[in-house]
Amino acid sequence: MTARPGGRPLVPAYLATGGTARHPRLRLERLSLLIRSDKPVPDGLTPAQLALLDELADGTLTVVEAAALLRLPVSAVRVLAAELVDRDLLVTRAPIPPAERFAPDLLKRVADGLRALKH
């Protein structure tokens, strides 16, 4: 999104979503993954939707990462992404549940071991 010199976007978030505050049926989480589909981009998308698709051209992003890159609130990106999912232009994947993530102490021990090998 184009920004003003002060850092605020030119388009307020409520205009980027067409005044919609939440999608009626799809609820994306902050760490849901957004993946662009192979479908061609149709005419009639909003500039914010096009910007989101452009950001996803190089790979997968979470909702939070996309919000930061677009300089929009997470709630606005959730609405934009849900609308693109409805049009089959995006695919989403739920975030990894906490029980399936690596334990932080294990990752620290691996990093410490790699540092010890380096010296």
Side-chain angles (χ1 to χ4, degrees):
M1 309 266 3
T2 307
R4 292 183 189 169
R8 291 193 338 249
L10 287 173
V11 179
Y14 65 88
L15 290 179
T17 63
T20 305
R22 100 176 41 118
H23 193 269
R25 63 175 185 80
L26 183 61
R27 174 84 171 116
L28 297 173
E29 296 187 33
R30 297 170 61 86
L31 295 178
S32 294
L33 296 176
L34 304 176
I35 306 150
R36 186 173 172 170
S37 72
D38 295 334
K39 282 193 158 191
V41 178
D43 293 333
L45 294 180
T46 67
Q49 289 171 328
L50 291 171
L52 178 56
L53 289 175
D54 286 344
E55 290 296 340
L56 294 169
D58 294 329
T60 303
L61 292 173
T62 63
V63 172
V64 173
E65 291 170 326
L69 290 170
L70 295 174
R71 302 181 74 188
L72 287 171
V74 172
S75 59
V77 173
R78 283 178 175 156
V79 172
L80 294 171
E83 290 170 354
L84 292 171
V85 168
D86 283 347
R87 292 176 163 224
D88 294 327
L89 297 172
L90 281 186
V91 178
T92 63
R93 196 175 89 201
I96 299 170
E100 296 178 28
R101 294 182 187 153
F102 291 108
D105 62 316
L106 173 64
L107 295 177
K108 184 183 179 319
R109 287 185 302 188
V110 169
D112 290 343
L114 290 172
R115 275 190 223 103
L117 287 174
K118 187 177 171 181
H119 296 292

